[in-house]
Amino acid sequence: MRTITAAIGLLALAAGAGMVKADEQVFGYVRGAETLPRGASEVVQTLTRRADKGQGTYEALDSKTEFERGLTDRLSAALAVKMQAIETKGLLINAYIPKDEDYGLKPSGVEGELKYNFLSPAKDPIGLAALLSLDYAWLDPHSGQDKDTLSMELDLLAQAYFLDGQLIWVGQAGVESTYAPRDGVDDLPADFEWPTEPEMEIEVKLGTGLSYRFAPNWFIGGEALYETEFETEVGQERWSVFAGPSLHYASGRWWATLAWFPQIEGGGEFYDGQQD
């Protein structure tokens, strides 16, 4: 799987040209420890393209529109609406993709989160924050089929500035738990596996990133993320390592980030035709 993510944030305060301030997303996937100041607001629009399953046709577009508000100087809250578009053709995978699907952007879920900053990377040697998020979705992002999913994720975020803010390091460790019943699908091939019993999943993730300001307002960097997922019946279902570059620009009251995040390694259950 290869993903490309683009995010644009509009701030109700100046972002500045030096150290990253407020809750700018310097990377595409790994989060930093900064929070919005009290009374500050931010709207972030994120678009993610997902493609390539090793066979057939697989194209997906995810949209996330988020409003974030600084409740205190340490605590931020955010609400988001998610949408997705998907096209799959000639790609059937037991318990994963049951049939061809093709539709444009439509609502797929909602998300709420709280982020609390224990230590500020701008004031302390290292910044630390906790991020709690609740997510409810009614469309499966992989198959595009109807699937009610309720997820809770808790992350510990670390961030540090070096060279007077010219170099930024972030680290992330998190656990996500998911409850997901699926609707039945009509006219499946004989002996095709598509369980409708509720699933319980636990995902563990570890990520890190490093970004360097090479010109006023411009940052270039790289990030890596390890994910492993444990499912009700099969134990460790899969593990993956993603890594790729990111480009970030911040000026005045807005910022933008572009990231490319291909899967480097992975393991677990394989399907026929899957690339190693």
Side-chain angles (χ1 to χ4, degrees):
M1 174 68 74
R2 296 175 176 84
T3 65
I4 298 175
T5 291
I8 297 177
L10 300 176
L11 291 164
L13 73 167
M19 289 192 297
V20 171
K21 299 179 181 178
D23 195 13
E24 284 181 45
Q25 297 178 23
V26 181
F27 303 93
Y29 295 87
V30 183
R31 298 284 297 271
E34 291 280 18
T35 54
L36 286 178
R38 180 179 181 179
S41 301
E42 182 180 51
V43 176
V44 180
Q45 177 62 54
T46 304
L47 294 173
T48 301
R49 175 184 177 268
R50 298 179 284 118
D52 191 2
K53 292 290 186 181
Q55 61 174 302
T57 298
Y58 189 89
E59 293 278 346
L61 179 66
D62 301 328
S63 170
K64 180 179 178 181
T65 305
E66 181 180 73
F67 174 78
E68 184 178 3
R69 179 79 172 175
L71 303 181
T72 73
D73 287 338
R74 292 184 178 271
L75 179 65
S76 294
L79 291 173
V81 175
K82 297 182 177 181
M83 303 180 73
Q84 73 179 44
I86 196 166
E87 179 186 3
T88 66
K89 186 176 181 181
L91 180 62
L92 299 181
I93 303 174
N94 268 326
Y96 194 66
I97 299 179
K99 65 177 184 177
D100 294 348
E101 190 61 85
D102 188 0
Y103 55 76
L105 276 175
K106 60 181 181 181
S108 61
V110 292
E111 181 182 44
E113 68 176 37
L114 291 172
K115 186 177 183 182
Y116 185 82
N117 180 260
F118 298 99
L119 297 172
S120 170
K123 300 177 182 178
D124 302 295
I126 187 171
L128 290 175
L131 178 67
L132 176 66
S133 64
L134 293 174
D135 181 282
Y136 172 67
W138 49 86
L139 291 177
D140 183 9
H142 307 293
S143 67
Q145 305 300 312
D146 292 339
K147 180 180 180 180
D148 291 325
T149 302
L150 182 63
S151 300
M152 181 177 69
E153 182 173 349
L154 180 62
D155 293 276
L156 180 64
L157 311 175
Q159 182 172 341
Y161 294 121
F162 303 98
L163 305 177
D164 294 326
Q166 191 167 4
L167 184 66
I168 304 170
W169 170 82
V170 298
Q172 178 175 356
V175 177
E176 180 182 42
S177 57
T178 299
Y179 175 80
R182 289 193 286 193
D183 293 341
V185 177
D186 297 330
D187 302 321
L188 291 178
D191 300 324
F192 190 89
E193 182 183 355
W194 184 253
T196 56
E197 298 85 4
E199 299 174 337
M200 294 294 294
E201 299 175 348
I202 295 178
E203 181 179 274
V204 178
K205 62 174 64 176
L206 296 170
T208 188
L210 198 63
S211 189
Y212 179 78
R213 189 177 74 243
F214 64 93
N217 304 328
W218 287 94
F219 290 81
I220 189 169
E223 56 186 322
L225 181 66
Y226 169 79
E227 294 180 335
T228 181
E229 185 178 294
F230 299 85
E231 197 262 333
T232 308
E233 297 181 356
V234 301
Q236 186 182 33
E237 187 174 18
R238 65 177 63 89
W239 64 269
S240 303
V241 176
F242 299 88
S246 61
L247 182 65
H248 177 76
Y249 178 82
S251 178
R253 296 180 179 271
W254 67 276
W255 55 264
T257 300
L258 180 66
W260 181 53
F261 214 51
Q263 181 174 328
I264 306 301
E265 290 287 344
E269 292 191 326
F270 280 75
Y271 55 85
D272 293 339
Q274 181 174 344
Q275 298 174 353
D276 293 339

